[in-house]
Amino acid sequence: MATTSARTLKLLSIFGTGATLSAEELATRLGASVRTVRRDIDTLRDLGYEIEAVRGAGGGYRLGRATRLPPVVFDEDQAVAAAVALQTVPTILSGIRENSARALATLHQAMPARSRVHAEAFTVSAARNYWEFPSPPIHAEIVRTIGSAINRRHLVRVDYTGDGEPVALTLEPHDLVVWAARWYLVAFDRDAHGWRVMRLDRITPRLPTHTPFDRRGIPHNDPVTFVMTTHDRGDAAAEWQCRGSAILALPASTVAPFAPGGSTVEYDTEDSCRLTLGAWSWPGLAGLLLTFDADITDIEPPELRQALHSLHNRIRKGLTDD
């Protein structure tokens, strides 16, 4: 990189946007001649960057896929974003902490002082919200295996552990979604002939199948929406000092996106569902149920019913005093 000029680095940054630009457009952006631009493109190619020439209308030059890992150039905002990502990734992926620490150290060493200050401003200690119960970090190899199958559109055979013994499944993996600090797989189950949302930490991949499949249209045309509105996604109620449940007069798909972390939503009827959740106190748990602004029945255990009676009496007294 010692012979690479500032202009060539700027050219690489322009290519990093993914745009296809003509030599004339690049020359205008760089304030240089077309001949100079073509010479700088040759320099980047010598350094290992795959700069493709695109012919025809709307053609020009673009950054292609490299056959080896060349030097990478970030602008200041990109460097800060990468540093923040490297600091947070070990909280959701296991087996990657050492590599991310090495990458972060390399990035910090190459950063100007001002960029380092900006990146370090995002360094915080992990703290868990009262309502968040993320699963343990997923091992990076599981994400890599399933993610590779998604990208290649290959069937996967997995062992899935739900409430009982592991079950062997053959799936068409479509998307990975991280929501509420948990990893989920959106897949089409060939045996059940239907779509499923599954916790990734409950999946053990088997050997690759290398069997291709055709991608299908995902419900709601959005994997994130599908995960959020699916009540049966493998979640389990977290251990709380106080834990209870009730039937809510709302559809399971309506309650699912707003159920606190560490709770479960079970289908009851088309217009009702059972919500099981916990809190640090029975009044706190009762208050959570009331936030759904729906009729509640079949309330368990007795301590939760008593807490609701107490809240009712306090609220009635407060309204009477007014």
Side-chain angles (χ1 to χ4, degrees):
M1 294 294 289
T3 61
T4 304
S5 67
R7 185 188 60 252
T8 308
L9 292 175
K10 184 177 180 181
L11 175 61
L12 180 58
S13 179
I14 293 172
F15 279 134
T17 64
T20 300
L21 300 170
S22 67
E24 290 76 14
E25 290 172 319
L26 291 169
T28 299
R29 291 197 181 191
L30 294 172
S33 66
V34 170
R35 181 178 178 182
T36 298
V37 166
R38 292 195 170 117
R39 187 169 61 245
D40 287 345
I41 288 174
D42 288 338
T43 299
L44 290 175
R45 285 170 172 164
D46 290 340
L47 289 169
Y49 294 94
E50 298 293 323
I51 309 298
E52 299 176 347
V54 182
R55 301 186 182 280
Y61 295 95
R62 69 185 178 195
L63 188 63
R65 293 185 178 273
T67 55
R68 60 186 177 88
L69 190 64
V72 178
V73 176
F74 290 138
D75 62 28
E76 182 174 329
D77 290 339
Q78 290 172 324
V80 171
V84 172
L86 287 168
Q87 291 176 68
T88 56
V89 70
T91 65
I92 58 174
L93 286 175
S94 64
I96 203 171
R97 181 177 297 276
E98 181 180 349
N99 291 336
S100 61
R102 288 170 51 225
L104 181 60
T106 300
L107 186 59
H108 274 174
Q109 187 175 12
M111 276 183 171
R114 184 178 66 174
S115 297
R116 281 199 301 272
V117 170
H118 288 174
E120 290 167 358
F122 290 91
T123 304
V124 296
S125 299
R128 190 169 70 184
N129 185 284
Y130 279 120
W131 311 115
E132 294 175 349
F133 276 82
S135 60
I138 303 294
H139 198 282
E141 190 58 36
I142 296 178
V143 178
R144 184 180 296 113
T145 299
I146 300 298
S148 176
I150 291 172
N151 291 333
R152 295 173 181 175
R153 298 185 184 179
H154 285 175
L155 294 177
V156 292
R157 292 192 180 95
V158 304
D159 292 325
Y160 184 66
T161 305
D163 296 329
E165 294 295 318
V167 178
L169 300 173
T170 299
L171 306 170
E172 297 176 6
H174 279 67
D175 286 277
L176 288 175
V177 175
V178 179
W179 179 63
R182 296 173 176 84
W183 287 81
Y184 296 94
L185 170 64
V186 175
F188 187 84
D189 186 336
R190 286 199 163 188
D191 297 326
H193 303 289
W195 286 96
R196 298 190 64 173
V197 174
M198 291 173 283
R199 284 271 294 271
L200 198 60
D201 58 329
R202 298 187 173 189
I203 288 177
T204 302
R206 297 187 176 185
L207 292 175
T209 67
H210 304 294
T211 304
F213 68 89
D214 293 327
R215 190 171 176 87
R216 305 171 187 259
I218 296 175
H220 305 289
N221 296 316
D222 177 23
V224 175
T225 300
F226 182 48
V227 169
M228 292 176 62
T229 56
T230 298
H231 70 279
D232 183 17
R233 52 190 173 225
D235 291 331
E239 292 297 328
W240 276 101
Q241 181 177 348
C242 302
R243 189 166 70 177
S245 69
I247 298 291
L248 273 64
L250 290 171
S253 59
T254 301
V255 174
F258 305 103
S263 62
T264 61
V265 181
E266 301 170 74
Y267 178 89
D268 182 55
T269 69
E270 288 293 325
D271 300 315
S272 64
C273 65
R274 176 170 289 278
L275 175 63
T276 302
L277 70 172
W280 66 90
S281 69
W282 292 112
L285 182 54
L288 281 174
L289 285 174
L290 296 176
T291 61
F292 285 89
D293 192 25
D295 291 340
I296 53 177
T297 56
D298 196 17
I299 303 161
E300 294 292 344
E303 291 87 348
L304 178 56
R305 294 198 297 272
Q306 179 58 47
L308 285 164
H309 278 300
S310 297
L311 286 178
H312 169 73
N313 292 335
R314 289 177 182 175
I315 293 170
R316 184 175 60 182
K317 181 177 183 299
L319 292 175
T320 301
D321 290 344
D322 288 343

